[in-house]
Amino acid sequence: MKTKLYLFLVIQFYNSVAGALATMIIPSSDRVIRLVTFSADGLMLLLALSAFWTRRSFYGVKFMALFLLASTLTFIYTIERFGFPEHLNGLRETLFFFSSLVVVYDLYESHIRPDLVRIFTRYLIVFAILQTPFAVFQFLKYGAGDAVGGLYGTGGGSGYMSQLLFLICFFLVVRFSSLEDGSNFIISRTILFVPILIPCALNETKISFILLAAMLLLLVTSPRQMYRAIPLLILGAGLMFLLNYYYSQTVEDTSNIFDEGYIEKYLLTNPTGTGGDLPRFQRILIMFRLMGGDIGSILLGMGYGVLGGGNIMGTSRLGRSLFYLVNGSRILLFRTWIQGGLLAVIFVAGAMFGYLRAKVENVFTVRQFSFFVFFSLIVIWAYDEAIFDRVFAPITAYFMMWIRAGGMSGEEYPGGESEREVAVHA
């Protein structure tokens, strides 16, 4: 099991720096980096498959098996459009999410759980700290924007970085700033973790406003000792003011963000037609028009070759014809549905939110973090594809399993799944 842990950590460490390597440090080796990423995807899948039988009662294994069955039906239905290589290439990122969930669960429910908790917590701290110097360098060189991606590099990923930093910040606050009984947060310690969010002010991600508001709300809504929340409220108001001021000065006037016309243009319609970056929800409307009411396409999708290709292998003919639709700011709902249909949406959603079925009674602070993870995952469906990102997926899977096992109270549990079933219904 320790070998599996080390392989998992190597994959995670590599994916964490691959973006910076490819765009900033050794850009001439971009193709080699992509080939190593491809190999790491395969290794993660093998690690997951090796746990299929021993962890067969885990909901993640069940949903992954159902997804594989549904994707096979999709391939059969779209076989005239795509060959098997295009199908497999299109599956890679979705399978990486499922594999991450299964592998993290397998490790967390084994006797090496304490090792995983210790090493991964340290990794999260280092990962979060390193984002700031990279983000500051990128900001000074390129200004506020998508190029400020921290360890993701300059080729995009700023949104993923911001979302991860909020999740990591909240996790560390719960992990190290909870009162002994978990009934509230220690304000002085909580403030120490706020600098983790500095990179979120250096890029143009609008999601930072939503996540900051949600996190502050969950931090201050304690059922008792409300006076303890006053310093956090003051701090939160200050952070919102600074973020709003800085964003208005470097990107655009935030007073327009909640304007009805702006929201419609940003999310729903684009008068330029197929030019530029289509609004997020407009892609879904176009997708349904392309499906033309075909029940098979609605249930099974248009095929996993429609979005893949362009790096390791060439883009499919259909993918090239729909480049205007699949290029740019895609959301998880669009990506999952257009490739694998409604069945894929159901199975991916089941795997994302299955951790909420845990019957372990969590303390207040862990429960608040659980709500924040849930909210963040809901947002992803309408904002981006973060859950399919190779850095984001394992980190989020770890948070899911940590919450599911009871947070801090379950970190030292050494037993396997059979012993755990009395407390957790898989």
Side-chain angles (χ1 to χ4, degrees), residues 278-291:
L278 286 173
R280 287 163 166 81
F281 293 154
Q282 187 176 2
R283 298 170 190 270
I284 297 178
L285 299 177
I286 296 175
M287 176 190 73
F288 282 126
R289 286 203 295 268
L290 291 172
M291 291 178 173

Side-chain angles (χ1 to χ4, degrees), residues 285-341:
L285 299 177
I286 296 175
M287 176 190 73
F288 282 126
R289 286 203 295 268
L290 291 172
M291 291 178 173
D294 177 52
I295 299 300
S297 296
I298 293 174
L299 290 178
L300 299 174
M302 298 179 66
Y304 285 92
V306 71
L307 300 183
N311 297 319
I312 301 298
M313 61 188 302
T315 308
S316 65
R317 180 181 300 178
L318 180 59
R320 290 193 296 272
S321 67
L322 297 179
F323 181 78
Y324 76 94
L325 184 61
V326 301
N327 185 52
S329 302
R330 303 190 302 251
I331 62 176
L332 183 62
L333 181 61
F334 166 77
R335 189 217 178 99
T336 306
W337 202 321
I338 195 173
Q339 290 187 121

Side-chain angles (χ1 to χ4, degrees), residues 256-269 271:
N256 298 325
I257 290 180
F258 297 103
D259 179 74
E260 181 179 350
Y262 178 86
I263 293 176
E264 180 179 359
K265 181 178 179 181
Y266 184 73
L267 295 177
L268 297 174
T269 61

